[in-house]
Amino acid sequence: MSATPSPDVTAAAPQWTAAMDEVSADGALAVGQYFLELFPYVHATGDTTAWRSMSHPDCLFCADVAQDAESPPEGGFEDASVRVEVIQGVELTPSASYSLTYSMQFESESGSEDDTVAMLVVREADRWLVRGVDITVTSSDA
């Protein structure tokens, strides 16, 4: 079965929470989780506004995801969902940079994938930015 072309108006973006306003490792972890949970919404709708506003100019992963969402393949992307669990957050520079690790399960019509996600999140100009993302597939049934 082919996916519905973008935009899919039924997709809902995750919601920003008060925890994400906190300048701490916990706040950074909440921001990183939100960013990963935003991924299916971005692909389903082509709406990259929140994604781009949180993407550091040096984040190649962030730019690639936005570009893919804004120029979807013919027929659009498969419906997908993610489940994200926090593994660890480490403050690298006080109130400025954080190394984050998550376990993420990605599910689509063609199968599922378990990933480990490493992320670098920075605090610049009183806002959070995702500076880098590295995803390692740990298992796949696709």
Side-chain angles (χ1 to χ4, degrees), residues 68-97:
D68 287 349
E70 291 164 352
S71 301
E74 186 174 322
F77 293 100
E78 290 183 358
D79 290 335
S81 65
V82 295
R83 190 179 79 237
V84 180
E85 295 179 21
V86 171
I87 295 177
Q88 177 180 320
V90 177
E91 184 176 57
L92 301 174
T93 306
S95 302
S97 65

Side-chain angles (χ1 to χ4, degrees), residues 15 17 37 87:
Q15 297 300 304
T17 65
E37 291 172 350
I87 295 177

Side-chain angles (χ1 to χ4, degrees), residues 23-25 90-99 120-123 128:
V23 181
S24 66
V90 177
E91 184 176 57
L92 301 174
T93 306
S95 302
S97 65
Y98 301 84
S99 174
L120 178 62
V121 174
V122 297
R123 185 80 180 172
W128 291 109

